């Protein structure tokens, strides 16, 4: 009997089913369609075998049973090719989500099945082989290839949207079926179609539907690539979900053996949470995703799981293994609109922000802050490219000389519409992402330009103060870089004073000191900015080679309001003077304030009382008329 091929196909399919079931599946749509293809192909092979038996053993089967089995087999063939067509649509979102297309194709499939079941069928049987023939069989030879050709056509027309592995595997699968169908049509006793389909599915499995490929090799949880695909699907299908992300940074400071053990231990711990799908993120991070259950509630709403996880990380892995974790969670994953945005938010926190909280609730306001941040980064980059970073100058008055002897250069950004953006809006963002180095250098360059190309120096201005960010101070090339900019402008370095702020974020203090020494050697002077804000205090003055101390506005304002502050400040001024340093008081807005600063012994005054920061030409006019 001609059923050897079918048994081979069945053996392949059963093996595939066994492997497919063994691994946990994330629930991707392509995975489900593949599963449907595997089951329907297996069912058609079984029906093929049974129908051959029913034709062969005429005594054991009634005519009705034989006809029913054979027609069921034919219908299954149509269904197989219909499923292969649906599978080919998966990557082409505009087709896959096209309801009309599904309705038409589904309708054609149903009509084909009805026609096949209504048309007559006859059987050929002898000692060696059996087969069926007649209009029902011919109808199958028309409709099944129709779907096969549609599938092939999709891979040709929409191939650019398709996963290349999927595209190629589908093509091989379809071509095998066509060859088998042609052979079977010409030699009806060679029943090849089922076997060819099994081989096609086997190729598909090996190429990309092996659930193991969705898993991370080391931990066995779903991989980062799968996380991407799964998130995309959740958003595309408008599914509600909650998410917890456990971030542990890139460097665990432990040997690879211990790291591996800790990672496995964490995996086992996290895997035990019911209802959640566990994915590996970047490095040793984990994502727990809770698709909303049938009544629409979310698993982490109570915060219960998060507390358990946090406790475990803190107790077990933070103390003895120094794994510092922070946690992101969103009760509603739809706080962002798509997978990319969610991953961008995750990346934002991962890369280390100024946000030092260890548990971050991703709600609307947090996400909109991150949005603003990213938009500002984009805007700054564009402004740098378009040369829209401008420099304003705020005059600084010398109490002893009763005239303006210097100014502070302050960055301004003009947005694309031409409006002015104040430093408070863009400097913190630029500091966070490193663009501050470019801004600082641009401001420095422009300041050098105006000093070298105007007669501002002959109007009584001795030097201009330019701000240095922490990132610039920690750049080994700062001194040589600034030196060459000044040389390029033929500018004497003593017309530049650099303002530094020593903060807790400064980690490479020796580089800062190195830069300072090099620049001082060629003639630049230095100011210690923001004195009295808690960031800068007396400690710093002792061993910092600065010439000027700038009293922050908050400190001078405190002096006018608070008697105790008066005492502290008077003593501070004395000490600073004994060290041979000069003092600038910032934020002086009234004549009274000016008088009391003079009485205190401050050397220079900067503030709105004299002038706000001015654009280059206005500053120039101001100095010419006042000095
Ligand atoms: P800062 O270095 O302490 O600059 C002094 C700030 O105080 C300036 O604000 C100035 O306009 C303001 N100010 C001066 N006098 C008065 C006053 O009498 N009353 C009040 N209410 N404010 C006064 P601005 O220009 O908005 O700059 C803010 C901060 O942005 C600066 O603080 C500095 O930290 C940063 N920044 C500005 N330009 C640059 C730059 O080129 N590089 C770096 N790294 N930071 C910059
Ligand atoms: Ca400053
Ligand atoms: Ca300041």
């Amino acid at each position: 009997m001609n059923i050897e091929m079918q048994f081979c196909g069945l053996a392949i399919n059963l093996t595939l089913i066994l492997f497919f079931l063994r691994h946990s599946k994330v629930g991707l749509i392509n995975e489900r369609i593949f599963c449907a293809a595997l089951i329907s192909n297996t069912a058609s092979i079984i029906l093929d075998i049974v129908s051959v038996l029913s034709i062969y053993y005429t005594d054991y089967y009634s005519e009705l049973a034989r006809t029913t089995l054979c027609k069921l087999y034919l219908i299954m063939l149509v269904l197989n090719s219909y499923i292969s067509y649906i599978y080919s649509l998966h990557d082409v979102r505009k087709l896959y989500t096209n309801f009309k297309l599904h309705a038409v194709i589904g309708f054609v499939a149903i009509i084909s099945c009805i026609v096949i079941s209504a048309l007559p069928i006859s059987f050929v049987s002898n000692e060696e082989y059996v087969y069926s023939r007649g209009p029902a069989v011919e109808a199958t030879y028309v409709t099944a290839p129709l779907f096969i050709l549609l599938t092939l056509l999709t891979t040709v027309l929409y191939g650019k949207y398709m996963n290349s592995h999927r595209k190629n595997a589908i093509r091989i699968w379809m071509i095998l079926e066509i060859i088998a169908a042609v052979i079977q049509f010409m030699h009806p006793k060679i029943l090849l179609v089922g076997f060819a389909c099994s081989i096609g599915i086997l190729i598909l499995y090996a190429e990309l539907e092996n659930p193991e490929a969705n898993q991370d090799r080391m931990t066995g949880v779903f991989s980062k690539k799968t996380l991407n695909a799964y998130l995309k699907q959740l958003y595309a299908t408008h599914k509600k979900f909650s998410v917890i992300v456990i971030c542990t940074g890139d460097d665990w400071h432990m040997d690879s053996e211990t790291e591996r053990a800790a990672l496995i231990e964490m995996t086992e711990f996290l895997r035990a949470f019911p209802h959640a799908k566990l994915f590996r993120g970047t490095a040793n991070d984990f994502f727990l995703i809770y698709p909303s259950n049938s009544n629409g509630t979310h698993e982490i709403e109570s915060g219960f799981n998060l507390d358990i996880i946090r406790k475990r990380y803190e107790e077990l892995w933070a103390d003895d293994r120094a794994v510092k974790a922070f946690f992101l969670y969103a009760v509603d994953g739809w706080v962002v609109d798509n997978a990319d945005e969610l991953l961008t938010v995750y990346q934002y926190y991962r890369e280390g922000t100024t946000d030092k909280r260890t548990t971050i609730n991703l709600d609307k306001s947090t996400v909109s802050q991150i949005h603003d941040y990213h938009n500002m980064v984009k805007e700054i980059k564009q402004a740098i490219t378009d040369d829209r970073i401008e420099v304003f100058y705020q005059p600084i008055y010398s109490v002893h000389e009763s005239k303006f002897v210097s100014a502070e250069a302050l960055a301004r950004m003009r947005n694309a519409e031409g409006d002015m953006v104040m430093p408070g809006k863009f400097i913190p963002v630029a500091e966070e992402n490193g663009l501050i180095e470019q801004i600082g250098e641009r401001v420095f360059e422009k300041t050098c330009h105006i000093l070298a190309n105007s007669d501002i120096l002959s109007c009584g201005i001795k030097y201009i103060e330019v701000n240095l960010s922490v990132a610039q101070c920690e750049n080994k090339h700062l001194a040589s870089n600034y030196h060459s900019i000044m040389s390029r402008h033929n500018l004497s370095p003593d017309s530049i004073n650099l303002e530094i702020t020593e903060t807790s974020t400064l980690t490479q203090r020796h580089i800062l000191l190195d830069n300072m020494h090099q620049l001082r050697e060629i003639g630049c002077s230095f100011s210690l900015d923001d004195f009295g804000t808690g960031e800068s205090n007396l400690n710093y003055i002792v061993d910092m080679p600065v010439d000027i101390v700038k009293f922050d506005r908050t400190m001078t304002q405190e002096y006018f309001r608070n008697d105790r502050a008066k005492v502290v400040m008077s003593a501070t001024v004395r000490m600073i003077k004994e060290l041979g340093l000069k003092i600038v008081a910032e934020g002086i807005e009234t004549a009274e304030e000016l008088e009391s600063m003079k009485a205190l012994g401050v050397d220079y005054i900067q503030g709105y009382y004299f002038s706000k920061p001015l654009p280059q030409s206005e500053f120039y006019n101001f100095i010419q008329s006042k000095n």
Side-chain angles (χ1 to χ4, degrees):
M1 225 184 327
N2 46 347
I3 49 173
E4 299 86 354
M5 290 312 239
Q6 289 90 317
F7 272 108
C8 292
L10 187 60
I12 292 173
N13 280 22
L14 291 179
T15 316
L16 283 183
I17 290 175
L18 197 74
F19 275 103
F20 191 75
L21 291 182
R22 251 188 42 199
H23 296 290
S24 49
K25 278 151 296 290
V26 69
L28 294 172
I29 292 173
N30 58 299
E31 216 171 57
R32 292 195 198 135
I33 311 176
F34 174 78
C35 184
L38 184 56
I39 291 169
S40 93
N41 179 238
T42 312
S44 74
I45 294 180
I46 293 171
L47 278 167
D48 195 3
I49 294 170
V50 178
S51 57
V52 167
L53 292 176
S54 75
I55 301 170
Y56 192 79
Y57 296 106
T58 23
D59 298 347
Y60 295 98
Y61 292 83
S62 68
E63 184 64 22
L64 178 67
R66 195 167 21 252
T67 310
T68 311
L69 282 170
C70 287
K71 286 192 174 175
L72 266 180
Y73 164 63
L74 295 178
I75 287 171
M76 218 57 216
L77 286 184
V78 175
L79 228 57
N80 274 347
S81 46
Y82 167 75
I83 293 174
S84 65
Y85 176 61
I86 298 295
Y87 182 79
S88 75
L89 297 183
H90 174 267
D91 292 343
V92 193
R93 286 239 64 85
K94 62 179 169 191
L95 297 185
Y96 189 78
T97 52
N98 185 332
F99 177 74
K100 269 193 199 150
L101 178 73
H102 281 282
V104 171
I105 298 295
F107 181 73
V108 172
I110 291 169
I111 293 296
S112 315
C113 295
I114 293 172
V115 168
I116 290 167
S117 55
L119 287 172
I121 190 168
S122 58
F123 311 104
V124 177
S125 169
N126 61 33
E127 274 305 304
E128 263 176 81
Y129 55 82
V130 300
Y131 62 89
S132 53
R133 63 179 183 194
V137 178
E138 279 146 24
T140 310
Y141 276 116
V142 172
T143 43
L146 177 77
F147 289 118
I148 292 177
L149 288 177
L150 271 178
T151 309
L152 273 177
L153 199 65
T154 309
T155 67
V156 174
L157 294 182
Y158 298 95
K160 61 173 186 269
Y161 301 108
M162 295 176 79
N163 174 324
S164 62
H165 291 278
R166 193 177 335 271
K167 181 172 68 189
N168 294 333
I170 290 176
R171 284 178 181 170
I172 297 173
W173 177 20
M174 292 302 107
I175 290 169
L176 281 177
E177 283 205 30
I178 292 175
I179 296 172
V182 170
I183 296 176
Q184 190 167 329
F185 184 70
M186 305 211 289
H187 308 279
K189 53 192 173 182
I190 308 175
L191 305 180
L192 260 185
V193 170
F195 178 69
C197 192
S198 297
I199 297 286
I201 286 182
L202 175 67
I203 292 170
L204 208 58
Y205 182 90
E207 274 284 321
L208 83 169
E209 291 297 351
N210 177 358
E212 211 179 338
N214 288 337
Q215 288 166 2
D216 170 58
R217 289 246 166 250
M218 189 191 280
T219 57
V221 305
F222 295 121
S223 68
K224 198 179 167 201
K225 209 174 92 204
T226 315
L227 170 70
N228 249 306
Y230 185 61
L231 285 174
K232 284 212 165 91
Q233 177 175 315
L234 285 174
Y235 286 103
T237 54
H238 305 281
K239 263 258 171 110
K240 285 214 163 246
F241 69 97
S242 309
V243 57
I244 297 178
V245 189
I246 302 139
C247 305
T248 48
D250 281 328
D251 200 358
W252 275 13
H253 303 292
M254 54 175 80
D255 61 76
S256 57
E257 195 93 332
T258 326
E259 175 170 341
R260 202 188 159 93
L263 198 61
I264 300 293
E265 203 180 322
M266 281 174 196
T267 311
E268 291 314 314
F269 165 69
L270 292 171
R271 224 201 264 279
F273 288 97
H275 314 298
K277 293 185 192 290
L278 181 61
F279 299 82
R280 188 153 175 199
T282 304
N284 295 334
D285 296 354
F286 287 101
F287 277 66
L288 276 167
I289 297 186
Y290 295 85
S292 83
N293 46 31
S294 50
N295 53 24
T297 56
H298 298 281
E299 208 55 46
I300 60 168
E301 212 133 20
S302 56
F304 180 59
N305 283 347
L306 185 60
D307 287 344
I308 300 175
I309 296 171
R310 204 167 35 194
K311 215 163 147 227
R312 174 72 170 242
Y313 267 79
E314 273 158 17
E315 280 173 5
L316 262 170
W317 295 307
D319 294 345
D320 48 330
R321 315 231 187 104
V323 174
K324 291 265 170 296
F326 70 93
F327 307 87
L328 305 174
Y329 71 97
V331 174
D332 181 7
W334 280 84
V335 68
V336 293
D337 300 330
N338 55 56
D340 288 342
E341 250 182 83
L342 186 68
L343 295 174
T344 308
V345 170
Y346 159 61
Q347 215 52 40
Y348 168 82
Y349 281 106
R350 211 173 178 274
E351 275 161 14
T353 66
T354 42
D355 196 333
K356 288 285 170 277
R357 288 174 298 164
T358 56
T359 305
I360 296 151
N361 178 7
L362 297 178
D363 53 15
K364 282 271 176 231
S365 87
T366 316
V367 169
S368 91
Q369 274 169 25
I370 299 172
H371 260 293
D372 294 348
Y373 171 85
H374 283 288
N375 288 341
M376 186 50 89
V377 168
K378 254 192 245 156
E379 223 173 288
I380 298 172
K381 283 185 179 161
Q382 199 53 49
I384 292 174
T385 314
D386 299 350
D387 195 19
R388 281 189 271 110
I389 301 293
E390 295 179 12
V391 187
F392 277 35
Y393 300 89
Q394 186 174 31
I396 297 176
Y397 181 80
S398 161
V399 174
H400 308 297
E401 299 177 51
S402 303
K403 64 173 191 173
F404 294 91
V405 293
S406 93
E408 177 172 1
L410 292 155
R412 299 287 182 268
M413 182 174 95
R414 217 171 266 288
N415 64 18
E417 289 76 45
D419 301 324
M420 196 62 83
V421 184
M422 294 302 281
K425 286 226 167 11
F426 68 91
I427 295 281
V429 174
E431 267 170 358
E432 194 158 333
N433 107 326
L435 286 168
I436 190 68
E437 290 209 55
Q438 290 179 59
I439 294 178
E441 192 173 314
R442 196 60 69 86
V443 171
F444 183 73
E445 174 98 47
K446 292 197 170 183
T447 305
C448 289
H449 183 83
I450 169 176
L451 280 170
N453 294 289
S454 70
D455 53 0
I456 198 90
L457 287 171
S458 54
C459 293
I461 295 295
K462 294 177 179 157
Y463 55 86
I464 289 190
E465 302 182 1
V466 187
N467 290 285
L468 276 183
S469 66
V470 171
Q472 286 178 289
C473 295
E474 288 184 331
N475 183 339
K476 282 195 191 103
H477 307 292
L478 174 79
S480 58
N481 202 4
Y482 272 27
H483 188 184
S484 64
I485 294 175
M486 290 183 283
S487 310
R488 193 156 16 98
H489 286 92
N490 267 329
L491 185 68
S492 161
D494 60 9
S495 39
I496 292 291
N497 175 287
L498 294 165
E499 292 190 6
I500 55 163
T501 317
E502 180 137 354
T503 71
S504 49
T505 54
L506 188 75
T507 51
Q508 307 262 49
R509 198 156 184 276
H510 65 280
I511 301 182
L512 163 69
L513 288 174
D514 213 41
N515 278 322
M516 286 178 80
H517 287 304
Q518 285 183 51
L519 287 163
R520 283 175 72 83
E521 226 155 74
I522 57 169
C524 293
S525 58
F526 280 86
S527 295
L528 185 67
D529 203 359
D530 299 341
F531 187 83
T533 56
E535 292 285 13
S536 263
N537 55 44
L538 272 179
N539 276 347
Y540 293 143
I541 304 178
V542 177
D543 52 1
M544 288 293 264
V546 293
D547 309 270
I548 299 174
V549 176
K550 296 192 80 171
F551 283 2
D552 190 73
R553 182 165 170 262
T554 49
M555 183 156 156
T556 49
Q557 293 301 314
E558 200 58 26
Y559 178 80
F560 306 127
R561 268 188 259 120
N562 181 334
D563 284 339
R564 293 172 76 94
K566 271 199 174 91
V567 178
V568 174
M569 252 174 94
S570 309
T572 309
V573 168
R574 251 195 335 273
M575 277 192 280
I576 294 174
K577 298 218 139 194
E578 267 172 43
L579 288 167
L581 310 179
K582 301 279 186 219
I583 298 170
V584 179
E586 287 188 294
I588 304 306
E589 296 185 350
T590 63
E592 298 88 75
E593 289 174 3
L594 173 65
E595 287 316 313
S596 56
M597 282 297 121
K598 278 182 179 170
L600 183 65
V602 163
D603 306 279
Y604 304 103
I605 306 290
Q606 178 182 353
Y608 290 175
Y609 174 72
F610 289 117
S611 170
K612 290 195 169 185
L614 301 170
Q616 181 180 315
S617 59
E618 281 178 42
F619 167 63
Y620 188 65
N621 293 340
F622 179 92
I623 295 298
Q624 271 196 326
S625 67
K626 298 280 175 181
N627 276 1

